[in-house]
Amino acid sequence: MQAASISDYRELARRRLPRFLFEYIDGGSYAETTLRRNVQDLEDVALRQRVLRDVSEIDLSTELFGLRSAMPLALAPVGLAGMNARRGEVQAAKAAAAAGVPFCLSTVSACAIDEVAKGDATPFWFQLYMIRDRGFLQNLLAGAAAAGCTTLVFTVDMPVPGTRYRDYRSGLAGAPGLAGDLRRFGQAVLRPGWSWDVGVRGRPHTLGNVAPVLGKNTGLEDFFAWMRNNFDPRVTWGDLAWVREHWKGSLVIKGILDAEDARAAVDLGADGIVVSNHGGRQLDGVLSAARALPAVADAVEGRLTVLADGGVRSGLDVVRMLALGADGVLVGRAWAYALAARGRAGVAHILALFAAEMRVAMALTGTTTIAQIDRNILATGERGR
């Protein structure tokens, strides 16, 4: 199958991955209402087509947290992404570096911080959850700084894990012990390409950043049990002040949907926020990122960098998010699908697709630089979202 879009890569990932892994990437919480809204609300944003303007030279580049980026896009943190392809996060980071865009490594990645750092010299971002064990948290922060990470993306919308029915149906969750192992093994046997690439050649099978606290217990049940027991539901803005004190690089707060919370991030001294509902994987029924974005962007009044994610499936969607008020966009499922389908080459291809699609969207809206993309390119009636 020749992939020409993110939806094509989604289908290729579905064919290649064991069911439990594909459903983990693809699914959302509860009835997946917000997951669908993320995509649909963004698709519904109507742009203002302009003609007879000189669009012969289009510049996609921008600055994100002090570093030049080839386009206003970064690869979002995706948990367990390294299980989608052999040493997956390393492959994705290399593709991002070659394309000149940031890569953000998840706390719960298969590849540890130092492995990604050794695989690519370009500075990358690191994503962190608030963990009960503050000593472990400090070690992660120190490790990220030592590896040259320039930006910390602190995820705040997961004090407790959301309920994802697909994970129970697929056997990823709710099937402990031998029964769960056998169910997942049976699914893996049906995907021999993945089993050879990841199951055999992708060893060691550890969750790199949390392996020191998991010890020898690196099974999926052990990992999910650790998450349930160590994510801290007591976290407040005061705890984030502690993070700000211990992290000297740029600090980005991810998981903002409310204008009041956005202003609190400004007061904290954050350098940026991500308008996000965790890809529809946490509280089902909340606003889509596209619907929440304009009010949040207005609330911060340019005092920090506003990023957004959720439902972004094309370069056209990136332009829509920028028009709604974002300074940059994170993409998650898109690169996870591509990594699962074709490894580093797949991630490189979708980044090229995003760039090409952005150029077309900018040309047809009469814009030639990222700074020119604002609500003026939204169709009448869309600007008050």
Side-chain angles (χ1 to χ4, degrees):
M1 177 180 176
Q2 181 65 37
S5 67
I6 302 306
S7 62
D8 292 340
Y9 273 109
R10 177 184 180 276
E11 175 59 18
L12 288 171
R14 187 190 66 80
R15 295 179 187 181
R16 181 171 176 79
L17 290 176
R19 181 188 171 198
F20 70 89
L21 275 183
F22 176 76
E23 299 290 10
Y24 177 76
I25 297 171
D26 197 57
S29 63
Y30 294 96
E32 301 187 345
T33 301
T34 297
L35 175 63
R36 292 189 297 273
R37 283 178 182 169
N38 277 344
V39 175
Q40 190 61 58
D41 288 353
L42 198 50
E43 287 182 352
D44 287 344
V45 174
L47 298 176
R48 183 184 178 199
Q49 182 169 299
R50 304 302 303 276
V51 299
L52 297 176
R53 297 192 169 201
D54 183 357
V55 290
S56 57
E57 298 291 335
I58 292 179
D59 182 7
L60 301 183
S61 67
T62 192
E63 185 175 292
L64 295 173
F65 308 111
L67 295 175
R68 205 67 186 164
S69 179
M71 53 181 161
L73 181 150
L75 300 190
V78 176
L80 306 182
M83 294 182 68
N84 297 335
R86 176 165 37 97
R87 316 316 297 166
E89 289 97 358
V90 174
Q91 293 195 57
K94 289 180 177 180
V101 300
F103 168 81
C104 187
L105 181 69
S106 171
T107 293
V108 290
S109 57
C111 301
I113 297 171
D114 57 352
E115 182 180 356
V116 175
K118 290 175 183 176
D120 175 63
T122 301
F124 59 97
W125 301 354
F126 183 63
Q127 175 269 339
L128 193 65
Y129 294 106
M130 183 60 83
I131 307 299
R132 291 177 186 269
D133 184 343
R134 296 297 193 263
F136 172 67
L137 208 62
Q138 271 193 273
N139 288 339
L140 278 179
L141 290 172
C149 293
T150 58
T151 299
L152 182 72
V153 177
F154 204 94
T155 299
V156 295
D157 60 355
M158 201 170 174
V160 294
T163 298
R164 301 161 194 167
Y165 294 150
R166 285 210 225 178
D167 290 346
Y168 286 90
R169 294 171 185 141
S170 70
L172 181 63
L178 181 60
D181 290 341
L182 289 175
R183 188 173 178 185
R184 290 186 292 272
F185 179 77
Q187 294 175 24
V189 168
L190 297 176
R191 296 291 186 265
W194 177 88
S195 296
W196 173 250
D197 182 49
V198 179
V200 178
R201 299 181 67 200
R203 295 177 179 175
H205 298 146
T206 63
L207 295 168
N209 299 314
V210 299
V213 292
L214 282 176
K216 295 181 180 180
N217 297 320
T218 55
L220 288 174
E221 288 89 359
D222 301 295
F223 164 64
F224 285 115
W226 177 85
M227 285 180 60
R228 288 190 299 271
N229 294 330
N230 286 281
F231 279 30
D232 195 345
R234 301 166 300 177
V235 173
T236 68
W237 288 101
D239 294 291
L240 265 67
W242 178 90
V243 175
R244 174 74 285 181
E245 179 184 347
H246 287 82
W247 178 259
K248 304 309 178 185
S250 298
L251 176 63
V252 180
I253 309 300
K254 182 177 183 292
I256 301 293
L257 286 178
D258 187 270
E260 187 175 340
D261 288 338
R263 286 188 284 266
V266 172
D267 294 339
L268 175 74
D271 300 287
I273 57 174
V274 184
V275 179
S276 172
N277 51 44
H278 216 99
R281 295 167 66 80
Q282 282 297 100
L283 179 58
D284 197 25
V286 297
L287 285 176
S288 67
R291 290 288 179 185
L293 175 56
V296 171
D298 289 344
V300 302
E301 299 177 317
R303 290 173 289 175
L304 46 65
T305 298
V306 177
L307 306 178
D309 71 12
V312 179
R313 300 293 186 269
S314 68
L316 174 59
D317 288 340
V318 173
V319 171
R320 285 169 166 147
M321 283 291 203
L322 298 179
L324 292 171
D327 300 304
V329 173
L330 299 181
V331 295
R333 285 183 176 90
W335 77 261
Y337 295 145
L339 178 70
R342 291 178 178 163
R344 176 180 174 178
V347 179
H349 185 212
I350 63 113
L351 289 172
L353 288 176
F354 274 111
E357 292 161 352
M358 281 191 69
R359 289 191 179 94
V360 172
M362 290 173 67
L364 295 178
T365 55
T367 54
T368 58
T369 67
I370 299 305
Q372 292 174 358
I373 303 175
D374 57 25
R375 290 180 202 173
N376 286 320
I377 74 164
L378 295 174
T380 304
E382 294 285 322
R383 300 173 198 175
R385 277 176 169 260

